[in-house]
Amino acid sequence: MGHTTVMIKQKRDINAVKQMVQSHLSERIRVKVELGRNKSMEFVGTLSSVYPALFAVTPDEKDFLGKTVYSYSDVLCGTVKLKKIS
């Protein structure tokens, strides 16, 4: 009567995340970054560049202090959430 643990596979993979991010290049997006311990930061910016392992967001605020380069795994894991602004 042993229990079998079954891992749930995520439907998205890193390539799907890369394609999604690349499709929004040069568009305005809202970025929400989970900082841990129930803290988060949110800002609006432009998806300015896409690289093989990273992507960069240029914030609209001139005095923005923070990290604006993220990895695709940040999106895959849910640490960084992106939303297109219409």
Side-chain angles (χ1 to χ4, degrees):
M1 286 206 211
H3 288 62
T4 305
T5 304
V6 178
M7 297 295 288
I8 299 172
K9 285 187 176 181
Q10 252 187 329
K11 294 181 182 179
R12 297 173 72 185
D13 64 352
I14 197 79
N15 292 324
V17 172
K18 284 183 182 183
Q19 288 176 352
M20 184 271 301
V21 171
Q22 289 173 349
S23 70
H24 295 296
L25 184 62
S26 301
E27 294 180 353
R28 291 191 67 229
I29 57 173
R30 180 175 309 279
V31 180
K32 183 175 182 181
V33 182
E34 297 295 332
L35 302 171
R37 294 190 181 239
N38 297 324
K39 295 179 184 176
S40 64
M41 173 182 68
E42 196 169 324
F43 67 93
V44 175
T46 303
L47 183 58
S48 55
S49 47
V50 175
Y51 302 102
L54 304 167
F55 62 94
V57 179
T58 303
D60 288 349
E61 297 177 32
K62 301 253 187 262
D63 298 330
F64 182 83
L65 298 174
K67 179 179 159 187
T68 60
V69 177
Y70 306 99
S71 71
Y72 300 107
S73 62
D74 291 337
V75 177
L76 185 64
C77 295
T79 307
V80 175
K81 296 178 183 170
L82 306 174
K83 184 175 182 183
K84 182 183 173 191
I85 298 177
S86 303

